[in-house]
């Protein structure tokens, strides 16, 4: 911004005396004209401000004359006028400067776009009351006289600093037009390294950040971006491959609505419960707690490797043939992942977005990553297991959110959250309940997708959420051929594990229950420990038996369970006492929110 650059260069001379201007800073004729004016103090500051504005306008005019596409270069639409000694026509106000709309024939208060107030002394922190009163007067004059206004801008020039005030009907904003303008840290250098700072006397997650050099302690590189879809209007995450204290790491910067759960808080709860199979967190914190309804958090976590789908593709010989070595490894991964999901649920966490990209493999171990869409279930009278209330309080205080509001709000996203291709049948069909079974069913689809022939995976064809749910209910009812309809050929040594998951998820004894998952919103699947032992670790199976009894305690005493023979222990993990009517979501590809 040339205007700011010029003011910054002139800063050493803003001493209440005369300003010294060099030909290097502005044009020769303009410089000579300014020096000849012999102005000082605020008059000199505004004169210099006018000079810089004229220089920018002159450069734009010259560029348009030389350009082959002059329409691409902005034209002047404002006239800058000095009103230090005279009131703006139609008002009693004498701002130091005014930007009039150029095409207005009469230059009066109705033609003012923006007022400019100047003070020779910079006030980066607290603006003096008298000065703020003047700024508010200018704002009020614009609102009173211009009924077409949506907001009223006032520019404050103080010393070498520029501050833009934007006044709307309710909130107003103060924007420092400096190196940090539009960023959460200074970006005045071309450095691609960032460092996060901690306050030693603050046990909250609040931190700040600075751009730094690669040799700075704990500097993180921003050079290697992990490409993900960025949606500026909803949750937004930037990921970077980097190094942290000698370890391969990932830096995640996340914008999250302030009424949603911070991912860092989820990792704190998982760490408190010593849940295995999740990334090690090297550092985390909040950079902004409420910026127009969003918080900005960062997490530095271990690099957990590649997605499980990418890992299996490394064994792929062609679309239909995969080396048998993949079967043995994925069998172990399923045990690791289900153990992680059960442990997490025991400590009150449901992931809710199990997908190919969120199962990472490195050095023979699988880990569940990206807990940004998880929900917290607090242990209490209606929940026999969940996060300890004390832990929930501590985490909410550290991450500065209202736990009751945020935890309850997350419940409303149960039927919406997840990656569509891997959502469970009930979630796809719009059932407003979410539990451990849904995460395990998502894992089932993740494994099938990893081994599927990409040209023949009918079970992953998406038209709408409901049609995909109905398609899967039909396919899964084909007991002997469901794998073929998901595009999966022989699974070798992995097939007994997949068959156990299939029976665990979609059968009660010898009866197929697929139709009940979409027709009865009160239906709860029951855990068969014998089948669970075929694809879960012993510790996970024991947890299911110990914490998820046959009575639907987590669903509340009023809930009625449709009991099925041959099973014991509920792993549904439902948490609401009431059972709202199903809202059938329509539209192609509804997914994570």
């Amino acid at each position: 911004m040339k205007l700011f650059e010029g003011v910054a260069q002139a800063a050493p001379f803003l001493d209440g005396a005369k300003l010294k201007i060099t030909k290097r800073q502005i044009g020769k004729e303009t410089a000579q004209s300014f020096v000849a004016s012999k102005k000082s103090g605020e008059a000199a500051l505004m004169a210099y401000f006018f000079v810089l504005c004229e220089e920018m306008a002159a450069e734009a005019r010259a560029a348009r004359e030389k350009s082959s596409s002059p329409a691409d270069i902005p034209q002047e639409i404002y006239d800058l006028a000095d009103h230090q000694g005279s009131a703006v026509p139609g008002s009693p106000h004498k701002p130091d400067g005014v930007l009039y709309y150029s095409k207005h024939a009469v230059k009066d208060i109705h033609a003012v776009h923006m007022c400019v107030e100047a003070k020779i002394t910079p006030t980066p922190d607290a603006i003096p009351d008298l000065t703020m009163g003047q700024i508010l007067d200018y704002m009020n004059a614009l609102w009173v006289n211009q009924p077409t206004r949506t907001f009223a801008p006032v520019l404050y020039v103080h010393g070498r600093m520029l501050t833009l005030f934007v006044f709307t009907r309710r909130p107003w904003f103060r924007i420092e037009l400096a190196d940090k303008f539009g960023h959460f840290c200074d970006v005045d250098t071309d450095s691609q390294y960032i460092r996060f700072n901690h306050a030693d006397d603050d046990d909250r997650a609040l931190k700040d950040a600075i751009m730094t050099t690669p040799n700075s302690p704990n500097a993180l590189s921003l050079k290697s971006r992990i490409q993900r879809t960025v949606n500026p209007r909803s949750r937004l995450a930037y990921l970077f491959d980097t190094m942290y204290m000698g370890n391969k790491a990932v830096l995640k910067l996340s914008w999250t609505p302030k009424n949603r759960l911070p991912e860092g808080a989820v990792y704190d709860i998982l760490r408190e419960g010593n849940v295995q199979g999740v990334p090690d967190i090297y550092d985390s914190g909040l950079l902004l707690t409420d910026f127009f309804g969003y918080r900005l958090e960062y997490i530095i976590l271990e690099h957990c490797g590649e997605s499980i789908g990418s890992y299996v593709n490394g064994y792929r010989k062609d679309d239909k043939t995969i080396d048998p070595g993949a079967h043995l490894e994925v069998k172990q991964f399923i045990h690791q992942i289900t153990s992680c999901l059960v442990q997490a649920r025991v400590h009150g966490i449901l992931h809710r977005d199990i997908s190919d990209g969120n199962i990472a493999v490195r050095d023979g171990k699988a880990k569940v990553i990206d807990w940004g869409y998880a929900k917290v279930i607090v242990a209490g009278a209606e929940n026999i297991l969940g996060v300890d209330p004390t832990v929930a309080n501590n985490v909410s205080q550290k991450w500065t959110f209202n736990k009751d509001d945020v935890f309850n709000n997350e419940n409303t996203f149960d039927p919406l959250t997840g990656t569509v291709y891997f959502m469970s049948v009930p979630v796809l069909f719009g059932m407003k309940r979410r539990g451990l079974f849904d995460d395990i069913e998502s894992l089932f689809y993740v494994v099938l997708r990893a081994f599927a022939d990409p040209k023949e995976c009918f079970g992953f064809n998406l038209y709408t959420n409901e049609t995909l749910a109905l398609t899967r209910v039909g396919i899964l009812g084909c007991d002997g051929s469901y794998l073929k309809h998901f595009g999966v050929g022989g699974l070798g040594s992995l097939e007994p594990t997949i068959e156990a998951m299939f029976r665990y998820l979609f059968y009660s004894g010898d009866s197929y229950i697929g139709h009940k998952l979409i027709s009865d919103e009160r239906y709860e699947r029951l855990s068969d420990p014998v089948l669970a032992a075929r694809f879960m670790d012993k510790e996970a199976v024991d947890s299911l038996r110990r914490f998820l009894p046959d009575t639907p305690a987590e669903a509340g005493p009023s809930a009625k369970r449709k009991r099925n023979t041959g099973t014991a222990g509920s792993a549904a993990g439902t948490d609401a006492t009431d059972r709202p009517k199903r809202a059938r979501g329509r539209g192609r590809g509804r997914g994570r929110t």
Side-chain angles (χ1 to χ4, degrees):
M1 182 177 178
K2 277 186 174 294
L3 175 60
F4 179 77
E5 290 171 1
V7 174
Q9 290 169 346
F13 311 107
L14 294 177
D15 57 359
K18 297 184 177 62
L19 284 172
K20 298 180 181 178
I21 306 297
T22 67
K23 296 176 184 178
R24 177 179 61 84
Q25 292 170 311
I26 57 177
K28 179 179 178 181
E29 293 182 3
T30 309
Q32 290 174 342
S33 173
F34 179 80
V35 173
S37 70
K38 297 183 179 181
K39 293 183 178 180
S40 63
E42 291 175 10
L45 179 59
M46 281 305 298
Y48 185 64
F49 177 82
F50 289 1
V51 165
L52 295 175
C53 290
E54 175 55 33
E55 282 295 302
M56 287 191 292
E59 285 198 19
R61 289 192 294 268
R64 275 197 302 274
E65 292 174 359
K66 297 177 182 179
S67 175
S68 58
S69 303
D72 294 337
I73 300 174
Q75 296 188 23
E76 301 163 58
I77 59 174
Y78 305 117
D79 293 333
L80 183 58
D82 185 341
H83 277 282
Q84 295 176 89
S86 61
V88 175
S91 83
H93 301 291
K94 295 182 180 180
D96 293 306
V98 165
L99 272 72
Y100 288 111
Y101 294 106
S102 299
K103 293 183 179 180
H104 279 235
V106 178
K107 299 299 190 289
D108 59 11
I109 189 63
H110 301 286
V112 174
H113 168 61
M114 180 166 58
C115 295
V116 181
E117 179 63 22
K119 300 296 179 187
I120 193 66
T121 303
T123 54
D125 299 318
I127 296 177
D129 291 344
L130 180 60
T131 301
M132 196 66 204
Q134 291 175 295
I135 291 172
L136 293 174
D137 284 343
Y138 305 148
M139 173 272 294
N140 188 64
L142 295 181
W143 277 119
V144 168
N145 291 284
Q146 299 181 11
T148 56
R149 277 282 173 190
T150 56
F151 64 85
V154 178
L155 185 62
Y156 179 40
V157 182
H158 47 127
R160 60 178 179 175
M161 303 184 69
L162 293 178
T163 300
L164 176 63
F165 289 92
V166 177
F167 297 94
T168 71
R169 287 292 183 184
R170 183 175 292 273
W172 60 276
F173 310 99
R174 172 180 172 175
I175 306 167
E176 300 297 340
L177 301 177
D179 305 319
K180 196 175 176 179
F181 178 48
H183 301 267
F184 62 80
C185 60
D186 289 342
V187 290
D188 57 325
T189 69
D190 60 358
S191 174
Q192 291 184 290
Y193 292 84
I194 193 169
R195 188 180 78 231
F196 300 99
N197 298 323
H198 300 245
D200 295 333
D201 58 347
D202 195 342
D203 58 359
R204 295 177 298 172
L206 302 177
K207 311 289 171 64
D208 61 21
I210 61 171
M211 301 304 294
T212 186
T213 62
N215 297 325
S216 176
N218 301 334
L220 295 149
S221 172
L222 302 180
K223 292 182 178 180
S224 183
R225 173 89 176 270
I226 300 173
Q227 294 302 319
R228 291 282 186 93
T229 301
V230 172
N231 181 0
R233 300 295 297 176
S234 183
R235 285 179 180 252
L236 185 157
Y238 302 96
L239 292 92
F240 302 89
D241 276 326
T242 188
M243 297 291 295
Y244 184 76
M245 300 181 69
N247 299 307
K248 289 187 66 176
V250 171
L251 168 62
K252 185 174 185 179
L253 296 171
S254 300
W255 287 93
T256 309
K258 68 174 185 177
N259 63 349
R260 301 297 298 274
L261 186 63
E263 186 175 3
V266 177
Y267 279 119
D268 281 354
I269 295 172
L270 295 171
R271 182 169 57 245
E272 182 75 20
N274 195 30
V275 175
Q276 303 299 303
V278 299
D280 290 336
I281 304 301
Y282 300 136
D283 190 18
S284 61
L286 286 174
L287 299 172
L288 298 170
T289 58
D290 184 1
F291 191 78
F292 302 110
Y294 284 81
R295 73 170 65 87
L296 175 60
E297 65 174 306
Y298 75 91
I299 300 175
I300 307 169
L301 62 154
E302 70 165 314
H303 196 299
C304 294
E306 59 187 323
S307 72
I308 189 170
S310 176
Y311 186 83
V312 170
N313 277 337
Y315 285 90
R316 192 178 290 276
K317 297 178 180 179
D318 54 48
D319 287 346
K320 297 181 180 295
T321 310
I322 296 176
D323 188 279
H327 302 146
L328 290 172
E329 294 214 49
V330 172
K331 179 179 178 179
Q332 295 304 312
F333 297 158
I334 291 174
H335 280 258
Q336 294 166 13
I337 297 162
T338 52
S339 177
C340 172
L341 296 176
V342 171
Q343 288 181 57
R345 178 61 192 88
V346 166
H347 292 282
I349 301 292
L350 284 174
H351 189 281
R352 298 197 301 181
D353 190 20
I354 296 298
S355 64
D356 173 78
N358 290 339
I359 305 296
V361 178
R362 181 182 175 190
D363 298 333
K365 293 184 178 181
K367 293 193 175 184
V368 183
I369 63 174
D370 194 356
W371 293 78
Y373 290 89
K375 67 177 282 187
V376 171
I377 303 158
V378 181
E382 295 176 352
N383 301 316
I384 64 169
L385 77 163
V387 63
D388 183 274
T390 301
V391 174
N393 287 334
N394 293 339
V395 166
S396 64
Q397 290 173 13
K398 175 182 176 181
W399 290 89
T400 67
F401 64 87
N402 184 302
K403 65 180 180 62
D404 294 329
D405 291 347
V406 168
F407 293 167
N408 289 333
N409 185 54
E410 286 297 342
N411 289 332
T412 66
F413 288 91
D414 274 349
L416 305 172
T417 301
T419 302
V420 175
Y421 288 110
F422 307 105
M423 283 180 172
S424 70
V425 165
V427 174
L428 280 172
F429 209 69
M431 297 294 188
K432 293 185 177 181
R433 300 167 61 191
R434 201 66 176 253
L436 179 59
F437 261 104
D438 298 296
D439 279 356
I440 295 175
E441 186 178 340
S442 292
L443 174 61
F444 176 76
Y445 299 131
V446 166
V447 175
L448 294 187
R449 184 65 178 258
F451 286 94
D453 180 345
K455 299 177 182 177
E456 299 181 6
C457 47
F458 182 65
F460 293 100
N461 288 346
L462 176 65
Y463 298 98
T464 68
N465 290 26
E466 286 189 350
T467 56
L468 181 57
L470 292 168
T471 299
R472 286 182 175 171
V473 168
I475 290 175
L476 294 165
C478 302
D479 191 352
S481 59
Y482 72 92
L483 287 177
K484 179 183 71 175
H485 296 299
F486 278 101
V488 179
L491 289 174
S493 59
L494 179 60
E495 191 156 341
T497 301
I498 294 299
E499 182 65 17
M501 293 184 74
F502 169 66
R503 292 280 170 181
Y504 181 83
L505 292 166
F506 304 110
Y507 273 78
S508 176
D510 294 329
S511 301
Y512 177 61
I513 61 171
H515 60 290
K516 294 183 179 180
L517 299 179
I518 60 174
S519 63
D520 187 351
E521 59 190 59
R522 298 178 68 88
Y523 184 79
E524 292 184 32
R525 292 188 264 198
L526 301 177
S527 175
D528 185 329
V530 176
L531 288 172
R534 297 177 185 173
F535 65 91
M536 293 184 187
D537 291 343
K538 183 178 182 301
E539 181 182 354
V541 177
D542 290 343
S543 294
L544 291 178
R545 284 172 166 157
R546 186 182 313 116
F547 294 106
L548 300 170
D550 190 41
T551 55
E554 288 184 284
S558 64
K560 295 181 180 179
R561 173 186 296 242
K562 299 202 173 184
R563 304 178 68 86
N564 302 291
T565 59
T567 59
S570 167
T574 54
D575 307 291
T577 57
D578 58 341
R579 297 288 179 251
K581 293 183 179 180
R582 179 176 72 245
R584 296 189 177 185
R586 299 186 184 276
R588 185 180 180 90
R590 189 189 77 236
R592 58 170 68 174
T593 57

